[in-house]
Amino acid sequence: MKRIAGGSAGLLFSGSLPGLALPGILGENFLDSPIDTGRPVFPFFRHIPIYNFGDFIPKDQGGKFVHTEIFGTEDDSQIVEKIRQGRLQDVYGTPINWSLYEKTELEKSVWLNRFYFLPSLARLYFLTSDQSYLDDMMQLISRWVTDNPRLPDSHRKTFNWRDMQVAWRSIHWSWCYYLTEKGLTEDQKKIITESLKEHADILLNGFGKAPLNEFNHQSHGGLAMLYLGVLFPSFEQAEALRENGMRILSHHLDKAFFEDGGNVEYMFGYYPFETHIFRDTYLLCKQNNIRYPSALLPGLEKMAAYIASVSQPNATMPQVNDSFEMPTGTILATVNELLAKNRRSLKGKSTYFPDTQLGIIRREGSGNSWYLLAYPASVIGAHAHAGRLAFNFWLNGSPVLTDSGCPNYDNPKLVSWYRTSRAHNTVLIDGKSDEATSGKLLWVGKRNTGNRIVNWGETDSLNYCRMISPATESVNNTVSWSRSLVLVKNKFLVLYDRFDASGEHNYEVLFHFSPTEVSVHEKRKALLLPGKSSLAILPADPSMIGSLSIEEGILSLNGKDSSAPMASLKFAGEGLVHSVVVFMPGVDDLSQVKISREITEDGIGLEINSGDSAKTILLIKNPDSPKLSVLNRQSRQLFEVF
């Protein structure tokens, strides 16, 4: 490893540590269990041989994006190898400049000072007893302590002594201490713990005194306080750390999640990170006989169910809003372990989350497997993007339509592209994009919208989801828009957009594809995707399409900007306008595919023949009509297939 320089001095405690005490701060919503005295229990030792550290503790998204850019892996051995090859010095200079990017690339700056990479060295030491890992770890800690003394105004002058930087270091250095404790000298123990005492003071005077909120930084700060208060009970402020940490965590458990399990910040990629906060809370309390919130285990059960339901076919969270496609396997396995349940069994089921306003359609059979995510964007701003009535779509285990996601927060394309309306599988009306998230500001306030899922259901022959975006949404330019996703007989997907307006308007339907080949069939105004899961995307009425084009879009894939095709279907219409697009897999000959439609004031009927001599009729009734009579069929149902 490139030399980082070191320095050490002083002594700390040895032998057993004082017992824990948590006098009556918890109230009746906490479970009672006796509090033992004696040495605190580090509850994660049994996980160390099984999981790489970065898989066991998922990162917040800012940290994950930068970590992927710098190391590109969560494998501890590979991370350590790259550290020893000088990767940190390549990026941050020699000697390491801890504030090098603070005014230019803040996420890259705080990533370094949070030490996401440091427990990789500690874990390898724990597994091998190789002293060189401990030596490299202590060089980094000692160098940081020397270069970053805490001064009375440190928390105002530099980001290094603020917010999540302090919280992440508190957690990461706690892991490093316990994983390397048997090899640490008394001087080295003191370097770590004396600095952690200063961290504790910052946590208590920052997160500990701030008004309670539902922002993930605060819940993470609460966990950091719990770590220090439980694992270092000799600290003078240990009791206050435990008390304030538990107060914050209890609030977030109660207020930061919807009743259906979704998170109020609408951050899908963040969800494994937020779940680990409460998993670790449970393990720290359970193993140290500390009372924990009575809502903790039920909350973890909802979190596991949410992850299992929302997780994409490749076991990652969808990159919707400010999200990395975070892996779900380790967090789900470890939460399942403590719940003694297997939430993976939910993967075959469709799920509607009415509070979160999210729908997941899953269906298998007849040679096809489907995954659809319907996201109306009931909240826009902060971490939530402008993709109203958007949807993601996987076919046979591969992504077809994908939300553009999010890049590193330092990336200027976050503002110029990723958060704009055009970066999503939505419709632009008269070319308008959401004003707040399509401006020049990096962060805009969160606002509630009228975008909602209003109908959801499943029968033997279909799954359906109907969303609305009202005319009062300024981006709709006085147009009332409803969008229905209907999965029919596991054979094809119908996308039905209904626009109700006065006067004439222009409409642009956008499809963002995962990197693949997409061609245009001009006569049918169809999009064709090749491969083992070949797919034809066909308008029911090609004559209404004014133009169909393939443009170059951008997706965030594994933290990198990636070019990918984006299809634009444009048309104009006056008054009530109906747009129907059918996604049909396995079509070899478009000449054999016939789609016809019949429209009345009560709704629309579709007759679809995919060339296999089987005819399907789908009726979609207007919600306000008592019944629909079209194509020689009648229905009183909102959606019915014949």
Side-chain angles (χ1 to χ4, degrees), residues 489-540:
K489 293 183 176 179
N490 205 51
K491 293 173 61 177
F492 43 80
L493 171 68
V494 173
L495 174 67
Y496 171 41
D497 290 308
R498 183 180 188 271
F499 306 98
D500 195 349
S502 60
E504 184 170 344
H505 295 270
N506 296 306
Y507 304 97
E508 182 180 11
V509 182
L510 298 170
F511 296 137
H512 291 269
F513 295 94
S514 292
T516 187
E517 295 180 19
V518 182
S519 60
V520 173
H521 190 286
E522 287 292 346
K523 183 178 180 181
R524 297 291 295 268
K525 298 296 184 184
L527 300 164
L528 304 176
L529 282 70
K532 65 177 183 178
S533 296
S534 60
L535 181 70
I537 303 173
L538 304 103

Side-chain angles (χ1 to χ4, degrees), residues 219-455:
S219 60
H220 186 255
L223 178 66
M225 284 190 267
L226 189 65
Y227 258 86
L228 295 185
V230 171
L231 297 178
F232 299 94
S234 66
F235 287 6
E236 182 180 352
Q237 296 172 306
E239 182 179 327
L241 288 164
R242 296 192 297 272
E243 177 178 331
N244 281 278
M246 202 70 86
R247 176 178 58 86
I248 290 170
L249 291 164
S250 182
H251 172 83
H252 281 255
L253 188 63
D254 182 44
K255 301 296 186 182
F257 295 87
F258 293 115
E259 184 64 26
D260 61 18
N263 181 268
V264 299
E265 291 186 81
Y266 290 92
M267 300 178 299
F268 298 88
Y270 273 76
Y271 204 93
F273 156 71
E274 292 175 315
T275 303
H276 111 79
I277 291 173
F278 295 96
R279 179 204 62 193
D280 287 11
T281 296
Y282 174 80
L283 291 172
L284 284 163
C285 292
K286 182 70 174 178
Q287 295 300 312
N288 288 281
N289 291 317
I290 293 176
R291 292 168 291 179
Y292 54 83
S294 57
L296 183 54
L297 282 175
L300 282 167
E301 187 167 355
K302 284 184 182 180
M303 294 175 205
Y306 185 88
I307 291 173
S309 297
V310 175
S311 182
Q312 299 178 135
N314 67 345
T316 64
M317 295 299 282
Q319 65 226 59
V320 174
N321 295 337
D322 282 356
S323 294
F324 188 98
E325 51 267 53
M326 291 293 286
T328 62
T330 298
I331 191 67
L332 192 56
T334 53
V335 174
N336 279 335
E337 179 186 19
L338 64 90
L339 294 172
K341 295 184 178 180
N342 185 359
R343 283 293 173 182
R344 293 193 185 107
S345 63
L346 294 177
K347 287 186 67 176
K349 298 180 180 179
S350 298
T351 311
Y352 170 46
F353 298 91
D355 304 315
T356 307
Q357 280 297 292
L358 174 71
I360 305 294
I361 294 175
R362 297 179 186 271
R363 201 161 183 124
E364 296 188 9
S366 303
N368 293 315
S369 64
W370 304 77
Y371 169 94
L372 287 97
L373 179 149
Y375 180 65
S378 60
V379 168
I380 292 177
H383 285 290
H385 293 192
R388 71 200 192 292
L389 309 198
F391 72 105
N392 283 7
F393 164 37
W394 291 59
L395 178 64
N396 298 328
S398 297
V400 178
L401 297 182
T402 303
D403 191 276
S404 292
C406 179
N408 184 327
Y409 296 165
D410 293 326
N411 188 335
K413 289 188 180 73
L414 177 61
V415 172
S416 65
W417 172 254
Y418 285 100
R419 288 180 177 160
T420 68
S421 298
R422 192 167 187 81
H424 300 85
N425 297 311
T426 186
V427 175
L428 300 188
I429 300 175
D430 297 326
K432 294 189 71 173
S433 188
D434 183 81
E435 293 180 6
T437 57
S438 301
K440 296 182 179 180
L441 295 177
L442 176 60
W443 299 102
V444 298
K446 185 170 67 172
R447 66 179 177 88
N448 293 319
T449 74
N451 306 325
R452 292 289 185 275
I453 295 174
V454 291
N455 300 104

Side-chain angles (χ1 to χ4, degrees), residues 111-279:
W111 174 89
L112 175 67
N113 289 278
R114 294 176 184 178
F115 283 89
Y116 296 100
F117 49 87
L118 198 66
S120 297
L121 286 159
R123 177 173 178 261
L124 293 189
Y125 172 79
F126 181 85
L127 294 174
T128 67
S129 298
D130 184 335
Q131 182 69 25
S132 66
Y133 296 123
L134 189 154
D135 292 342
D136 290 348
M137 180 194 84
M138 285 308 305
Q139 286 182 33
L140 285 161
I141 291 175
S142 298
R143 183 72 270 164
W144 190 92
V145 169
T146 299
D147 291 348
N148 295 274
R150 183 194 168 200
L151 304 174
D153 59 349
S154 290
H155 60 288
R156 289 189 292 269
K157 293 183 65 175
T158 174
F159 282 91
N160 294 354
W161 278 106
R162 281 190 224 169
D163 200 70
M164 287 186 96
Q165 291 70 263
V166 178
W168 271 120
R169 279 198 305 273
S170 296
I171 293 172
H172 290 150
W173 290 13
S174 294
W175 272 73
C176 289
Y177 182 92
Y178 273 86
L179 266 59
T180 63
E181 185 179 14
K182 69 176 183 180
L184 291 172
T185 67
E186 297 303 320
D187 288 351
Q188 290 170 334
K189 289 178 181 178
K190 186 171 184 179
I191 290 173
I192 296 173
T193 54
E194 288 300 311
S195 184
L196 287 180
K197 288 177 183 178
E198 295 182 320
H199 285 59
D201 191 58
I202 291 287
L203 291 170
L204 285 170
N205 285 285
F207 292 115
K209 292 184 177 179
L212 290 170
N213 59 58
E214 289 72 58
F215 193 36
N216 68 87
H217 286 216
Q218 188 181 72
S219 60
H220 186 255
L223 178 66
M225 284 190 267
L226 189 65
Y227 258 86
L228 295 185
V230 171
L231 297 178
F232 299 94
S234 66
F235 287 6
E236 182 180 352
Q237 296 172 306
E239 182 179 327
L241 288 164
R242 296 192 297 272
E243 177 178 331
N244 281 278
M246 202 70 86
R247 176 178 58 86
I248 290 170
L249 291 164
S250 182
H251 172 83
H252 281 255
L253 188 63
D254 182 44
K255 301 296 186 182
F257 295 87
F258 293 115
E259 184 64 26
D260 61 18
N263 181 268
V264 299
E265 291 186 81
Y266 290 92
M267 300 178 299
F268 298 88
Y270 273 76
Y271 204 93
F273 156 71
E274 292 175 315
T275 303
H276 111 79
I277 291 173
F278 295 96
R279 179 204 62 193

Side-chain angles (χ1 to χ4, degrees), residues 570-627:
K570 293 182 179 180
F571 50 89
E574 185 174 359
L576 188 60
V577 176
H578 306 268
S579 168
V580 176
V581 178
V582 180
F583 295 73
M584 192 175 295
V587 175
D588 297 321
D589 185 359
L590 279 187
S591 66
Q592 300 298 310
V593 177
K594 301 186 184 304
I595 304 173
S596 60
R597 66 180 192 169
E598 182 179 341
I599 300 172
T600 75
E601 62 181 11
D602 296 317
I604 184 171
L606 300 172
E607 183 176 304
I608 305 171
N609 192 323
S610 57
D612 58 1
S613 75
K615 179 174 64 176
T616 300
I617 294 177
L618 173 66
L619 270 57
I620 304 176
K621 183 180 69 67
N622 291 342
D624 297 333
S625 298
K627 69 177 181 179

